[in-house]
Amino acid sequence: MQNNLRLTGLRILVVDDDDDSCFYLTIVLEADGARVRTVPSAALALEILPRFKPDALICDIALPGEDGYTLIRKVRSRKADEGGRIPAVALTGYADSEDRSRALEAGFQTHVAKPVDPGELVEIIANLVTFSKR
């Protein structure tokens, strides 16, 4: 269990249409000090991104309408001050090497298979955000 809250003060946007996944991620991330917003679709993520100004994005790949690959491509096409350089994690059940390659090519920094260990997820996000601020 983490003693130091590595995500304190970070805003994290979670994009997943599964209520249980959103609940789990919110509990894990908020327990480590993050402020979490969840949305069920790419369209809502794009709408909230400029207002919420998250420090990190966690996105499922299988979403209704536009998938996570399409979402991250649209995010990456934005200017940095509009969220275009946000650290992003593909958190998905699509876990083979081809899926990983596709996620990285689309613009995610990392690809994590569901289910993910809470400590591992916190570590991944903390490291991504730290690395992106260098």
Side-chain angles (χ1 to χ4, degrees), residues 7-132:
L7 305 182
T8 298
L10 295 182
R11 292 176 312 277
I12 300 174
L13 179 59
V14 174
V15 186
D16 198 320
D17 63 322
D18 181 75
D19 290 340
D20 291 337
S21 291
C22 287
F23 178 76
Y24 171 75
L25 292 170
T26 299
I27 295 297
V28 167
L29 300 171
E30 286 182 348
D32 208 86
R35 185 170 152 217
V36 179
R37 291 285 303 264
T38 62
V39 294
S41 70
L44 287 172
L46 292 169
E47 186 180 312
I48 197 172
L49 191 66
R51 290 194 315 268
F52 184 55
K53 298 188 184 317
D55 298 292
L57 171 72
I58 300 173
C59 184
D60 189 17
I61 296 300
L63 295 169
E66 296 179 314
D67 63 19
Y69 301 123
T70 303
L71 171 60
I72 197 64
R73 285 187 195 100
K74 287 184 176 183
V75 168
R76 294 293 177 239
S77 72
R78 293 179 172 209
K79 296 177 186 168
D81 64 346
E82 296 172 351
R85 298 189 62 196
I86 184 173
V89 177
L91 182 61
T92 178
Y94 301 129
D96 68 24
S97 61
E98 184 178 314
D99 296 316
R100 183 181 193 292
S101 294
R102 189 169 174 204
L104 299 178
E105 288 169 10
F108 289 100
Q109 275 75 21
T110 191
H111 173 273
V112 180
K114 288 181 181 178
V116 63
D117 174 76
E120 180 184 352
L121 181 61
V122 167
E123 185 77 16
I124 288 167
I125 293 172
N127 289 340
L128 273 180
V129 171
T130 300
F131 181 75
S132 75

